[in-house]
Each structure stands twice: as C-alpha cells, then as structure tokens.
Amino acid sequence: MILVTGGAGYIGSHTCVELLNAGFDVTVFDNFYNSNPEALVRVEQITGRKPELIQGDCRDRAAVVAALKQSQANAVIHFAGLKAVGESVEQPLSYYDNNVVGTLRLLEAMQECGVKTLVFSSSATVYGDPVQLPLTESHPLAPTNPYGRSKWMVEEMLRDLYRSDNTFRISILRYFNPVGAHDSGLIGEDPQGIPNNLMPFVAQVAVKRREILNVWGNDYPTPDGTGVRDYIHVVDLALGHLKALEALRNPQVNKFPECLTVNLGTGRGYSVLDVVRAYEQVSGRPVPYRIAPRRPGDIASCYADPKRALELLSWQAKLGLDAMCASSWHWQSINPKGYQS
Ligand code: UD1
C-alpha cells in the first residue's frame, strides 16, 4: 500500500493512475486545499480501481499517524504542498508552514510508524539561476524565492535524516516543467484563478476563455529571444515516481551514500514561441500573443541533464512537445472550466 499525499492534485492524480494500473494499492491523503475530490472519481473511471481516501493535512501529525496505520502503507509519495512562486514571495510563512513543517510532521509520523520509504516531490527550482546547462544533480543549490527555498530546506532535512538512519529509503525527484494531461482527457491541470504557468494559460487562450497570451520578454539570449524551458509530460513524470519506488526497493540502493536524487526532465528545451506554435498546430486554434516586459525573477534558459535518471531509475521521458500540447488540449476542450465543467 502506498500513501500518496496530495494525491488529488495535478501530478498526484496522474501518479495514482499509474500506480493503480501497475497493481499498487493506493491511499490518498489530501486536504483539498488546491485540489478537487472529483479528480479521484476520474482516477477510478480511468483505472477501474478505487483509491482509498483519507482527508487530512500533513501538518497534523496525529492525522498522518492515523492514516499510515489505517492504510498499512509501507511507502509514501509526498506531493502535498503549495507551489506558486509569486504567492510564496507574498506569504512566505504559509510556504514554510505547509511545505517544510508539513514534511517534518510527515517524517515524524513515518518514523513513529516505522514507514521508511519516501519519494519526495522536489523541483528544478532548487538550482536557482543556472551557472551551467544542462542542469546536473550536482549543480549548486541556490533557490531564489521562498517556494524554492521551502523545497531546498526539505531536501536538506531528508539528507540529514538519511545520514542519521540509512535504513530510510528516500528519493528526491527534481521536476522540470510538468505539462499536459492524461490521454483520457479525464484528469489534468486545474489552476485556480489566472494561471501563472505557460501551458495552462495557452490552453485557456486556445479555448477562448482568455483573450491573449503575454509573452514575458523576447530579448533573452535564446534562439528566438523568449524563455526556454524543459517541459515534461505529466504522464512521463508520473511513471518516474514508479521507477523511483522500484529503485528504492532494490537492495543495491544500499550502495547510495545519499538520498536517491534525480532530475526528471527531457533534456530538451523549448521556447515560449515553440510552445505557442505547437499548441496552435495540434488544437487547430489560434493562440494570439503579444510581447510584454520580462517577468521579474525569470531566467533565460533551464533544462535538465536527464542521464542520471536513466542510469539509476532506468527512466527516460518518452513523450514529446506535440503529445504534451495535444493532451493538454484534449483535457481543456472537454473540461473548459476544469473539474467544475
Ligand atoms: C515556474 C516557477 C517554478 C516552478 C514551475 C512549475 C517561476 C519563476 N518559476 O517555472 O519555480 O517549479 O513554474 O511548473 O515562476 N511565460 C510567458 N507567459 C505566461 C506564462 C509564462 O511568456 O503567461 C513564459 C515564462 O516567462 C517562461 C516560460 O513561459 O519563460 C515558462 O513559464 P512557467 O510555465 O511559469 O514556468 P517557469 O517560470 O519555468
């Protein structure tokens, strides 16, 4: 049994689908702060299997202990957390509370219950401004905002915990830019309010829920002047979590002196305009845009060196930009208002 915190969220729900399809039993632990219970109904529709649900908050240690006992989980995949960079600058304490304290309480509960296998959702944002590309896992860690620092602090906590007790099995997965949706069109990203991220914004422009995309800057030192990112299909990302679990269960993992820390990216960068063009192509809809000033805090380019994931997890992203845009469009056109549609 796997306890999936934040299992009703965007990446969590896609991972639940892959876990259930692979035969794992799943209990979701979610407070529905930024997610919708409907996602779990859809997970069941896709897989024909029902994930157990325990509504609760990771900061409530007793609730996590109860969930671990009730579910008899032997591993945890920990997605629950806040993830908006801008909001983290305005409300840093809320980010440290949810992301850092939430994980601390979860770890205490796991220790109390003797559950020692954990896959943690980190982010490429822990690297900060790249000093060298592609980003390898040994790139210095220098996050530039409270959200990124909350992920980095949890990583440090996990490294210290593993050093103190190497019977823990811990994987830290550093995601690049997750996009797209499940092929069924039943689950996908459902941002509240105005989307901050590129692909959901483009999707809402294509479906005419918003008028025009602002392209934040076209004077970056990139091929077309717009920002370059390593977009990764959320289904590939979900499969990376299964591979991480598998690797942690492999006795060879004892040989790792550290937590099993890997980038999950494709290794390929696409510009904002590449994404716009691909989206127009697969949707057959125009995506009008205008060039606007740079967004504060943005960097020119960011993409992964994905070699370590291949070596240690035997995982590699398989789906390209067209599949990412096509699945995003499928989800968006069936569910123009997300789970409220
Ligand atoms: C952002 C977060 C990062 C987080 C990631 C999750 C920042 C600074 N970083 O990354 O910490 O892990 O989301 O996916 O917020 N763009 C536009 N117009 C838009 C939206 C975006 O031109 O309306 C451009 C951006 O300038 C950037 C690219 O699209 O070049 C991707 O932006 P976004 O999807 O927000 O992701 P990141 O900024 O890479």
Side-chain angles (χ1 to χ4, degrees), residues 83 85 123 125 145 147 176-178 195-199 201 213-216 226-229 231 272 295-299:
K83 61 168 185 181
V85 173
S123 166
T125 199
N145 55 66
Y147 162 69
F176 281 69
N177 291 53
N196 289 309
N197 295 122
L198 177 65
M199 182 105 36
F201 202 102
L213 168 74
N214 286 307
V215 174
W216 307 126
T226 66
V228 166
R229 297 290 183 277
Y231 297 96
V272 176
R295 181 171 67 178
D298 270 359
I299 50 180

Side-chain angles (χ1 to χ4, degrees), residues 232-241 264 266 315-320 324:
I232 171 166
H233 198 299
V234 66
V235 171
D236 272 331
L237 191 64
L239 290 168
H241 293 74
L264 295 183
T266 66
W315 172 92
Q316 157 172 53
K318 295 207 168 74
L319 300 164
M324 300 178 207

